[in-house]
Amino acid sequence: MRKTACLAAAFCIVAPALHADSLTLFATGEDLATAGFTAPKLTRDGWALEFSRIMVSFDQITAWQSNPPFMADGPEIFGEALVFPGPVIVDLVDADEDDRVKLASMVAAPGHYNALSWALVPAASGEIEGYSLVLEGVARKDGQDVAFTLRSADAMMHACGEYMGDTRKGFVTDDSAGDLEITLHLDHLFGRADKGAEDETNIAALGFDSFAAGGVYEFSLGDLHVGHVGEGHCHVTSM
Amino acid sequence: MSLRCRSALLLCLALVVSAPQMALAHAAIMEAEVAQAIRLHAFYETGEPMSQAQVIIYAPDDPAQVWGQGIADMDGRYEFIPDAIAGRWSVQVRQAGHGVMAHLEIGANAPVITVSSTPDTWAQRALMVALVAWGALGTALYARSRKGKPDASA
């Protein structure tokens, strides 16, 4: 009995502080952010990338209960909105064991939050002032080490449909908390050597050769469609 | 959970066949019922099929849990027989890090009312899912054959 009580107490201490009626937002650059681009997942032009930090500035984050479901086919989402405080600046390299970084958690009405809108916005102050996305690290190829800083000042609004992944997300009930995830697909920036040259990712991606001299570069997110919700898609609009 | 796809019908047939055999050896009885099924076709805007894409199905009564899953064929097609649960059924089709979600409304009398799917606007590529109800005739196929003599113990 004592042992059971101790175990229960221990569980209470380590259990995540998520209330049953809450919705928690995470951001992730997946393993490509935390582990980098390593063989066979090199960039499309054969570079290994190790990131020291990937700073992202998010704002206007809103979870939606849309009915009928929003299908990421336009900039506007209709439904019940849950607005999260912002802006939020996070480092996607400094992530948990699931490669996720917590953005915020809020009390939420029960339901299925099946859409998510958010913006990448230039930071108003701080280390990445003026930029919405900054990637720093070292690239390696053929014995050459190249230190780089790549940064974008673009402001991009994302209107996303339902999160898509191994588990369906966004359900808040009286008994359980829900979570959602903003997913940045870094292979849309750099491509992937383990995919064919004709793969859409590699056709559109920047690769790394154009940054191979090292130093600081600015780039445009343009039509790269880096922002997703898991494997689900977003309608992207320049702000 | 894949038993709820097209192979579910075959499994049901097998059960119907095997159950009477316990009581009547050497008798093979087959019963089949034509049920309403959903045919799914997943393909890219280019027309290229989503060959062997992962398919995950969610039922309206417990939308957070997987109701059924399977793999599309080489033509990107997949069929399943939904339970008689009215409401919104949702289907995910995933392949190579990209996915598409489709929803269909099934009413009390089981007609498919609406279908919608998520476009992928990235790089002018789109994933599309077409869902078509078929086979709602409700007819039955009954076949019975007997080989040899009935088991005396039956």
Side-chain angles (χ1 to χ4, degrees):
Chain A
M1 189 69 178
R2 176 180 295 175
K3 185 176 181 180
T4 303
C6 291
L7 288 173
F11 177 79
C12 290
I13 291 171
V14 299
L18 299 178
H19 298 288
D21 57 351
S22 69
L23 182 67
T24 300
L25 289 180
F26 295 91
T28 180
E30 305 174 295
D31 60 333
L32 292 177
T34 55
F37 284 67
T38 59
K41 296 180 182 178
L42 302 174
T43 68
R44 72 169 189 190
D45 34 22
W47 289 85
L49 302 181
E50 179 183 350
F51 299 103
S52 54
R53 64 175 190 167
I54 300 174
M55 305 299 293
V56 192
S57 173
F58 296 105
D59 200 5
Q60 302 178 44
I61 306 172
T62 306
W64 299 82
Q65 295 189 63
S66 63
N67 189 14
F70 176 66
M71 306 307 289
D73 51 359
E76 287 189 281
I77 304 175
F78 299 98
E80 293 187 34
L82 178 65
V83 181
F84 284 75
V88 182
I89 298 173
V90 295
D91 179 3
L92 297 183
V93 178
D94 187 17
D96 64 17
E97 60 184 9
D98 295 321
D99 305 314
R100 304 197 304 180
V101 179
K102 182 179 175 180
L103 297 179
S105 184
M106 284 188 68
V107 172
H112 184 203
Y113 292 83
N114 57 359
L116 186 68
S117 58
W118 49 279
L120 286 177
V121 295
S125 61
E127 292 181 81
I128 64 166
E129 181 176 353
Y131 296 96
S132 53
L133 175 61
V134 178
L135 304 99
E136 295 178 351
V138 176
R140 298 183 176 89
K141 183 180 180 182
D142 299 332
Q144 180 186 11
D145 286 11
V146 177
F148 64 85
T149 297
L150 310 180
R151 57 194 189 187
S152 174
D154 290 343
M156 312 288 282
M157 190 68 203
H158 295 71
C160 312
E162 183 174 333
Y163 171 89
M164 206 174 301
D166 290 336
T167 58
R168 204 174 186 193
K169 292 183 180 295
F171 292 95
V172 175
T173 71
D174 292 333
D175 301 322
S176 62
D179 68 285
L180 287 174
E181 178 186 297
I182 295 171
T183 313
L184 300 189
H185 287 192
L186 299 183
D187 55 353
H188 285 210
L189 290 178
F190 300 108
R192 285 265 295 274
D194 58 331
K195 294 184 176 181
E198 300 304 315
D199 186 274
E200 297 284 2
T201 302
N202 286 334
I203 292 173
L206 302 173
F208 192 80
D209 276 347
S210 53
F211 310 120
V216 179
Y217 293 88
E218 297 197 11
F219 69 98
S220 174
L221 292 167
D223 294 324
L224 294 174
H225 284 263
V226 175
H228 287 69
V229 278
E231 296 171 8
H233 297 280
C234 305
H235 184 277
V236 184
T237 310
S238 293
M239 299 171 67
Chain B
M1 296 299 287
S2 60
L3 78 169
R4 284 169 167 145
C5 69
R6 186 165 64 175
S7 61
L9 182 59
L10 299 176
L11 178 60
C12 291
L13 290 174
L15 292 174
V16 171
V17 167
S18 62
Q21 285 181 326
M22 298 173 63
L24 186 64
H26 307 297
I29 301 172
M30 181 176 70
E31 294 178 338
E33 180 179 358
V34 176
Q36 184 175 50
I38 302 299
R39 176 184 295 161
L40 176 154
H41 188 198
F43 54 92
Y44 296 95
E45 190 178 49
T46 59
E48 177 188 359
M50 294 182 69
S51 302
Q52 297 187 305
Q54 182 184 26
V55 180
I56 304 174
I57 304 159
Y58 298 92
D61 60 336
D62 191 4
Q65 302 301 320
V66 174
W67 175 87
Q69 58 186 330
I71 303 295
D73 66 15
M74 295 302 292
D75 293 326
R77 297 183 188 277
Y78 188 80
E79 295 162 1
F80 67 97
I81 302 170
D83 290 339
I85 305 171
R88 177 177 297 144
W89 289 71
S90 299
V91 181
Q92 279 187 9
V93 182
R94 302 166 62 194
Q95 187 180 55
H98 288 267
V100 61
M101 178 76 102
H103 304 280
L104 59 149
E105 302 285 342
I106 296 182
N109 297 320
V112 175
I113 298 175
T114 61
V115 173
S116 54
S117 62
T118 310
D120 177 356
T121 55
W122 178 64
Q124 302 301 311
R125 185 175 73 169
L127 310 179
M128 299 179 179
V129 174
L131 291 154
V132 181
W134 61 282
L137 300 178
T139 57
L141 169 67
Y142 178 82
R144 176 173 177 166
S145 65
R146 178 176 298 180
K147 295 180 180 179
K149 299 177 181 178
D151 189 332
S153 65

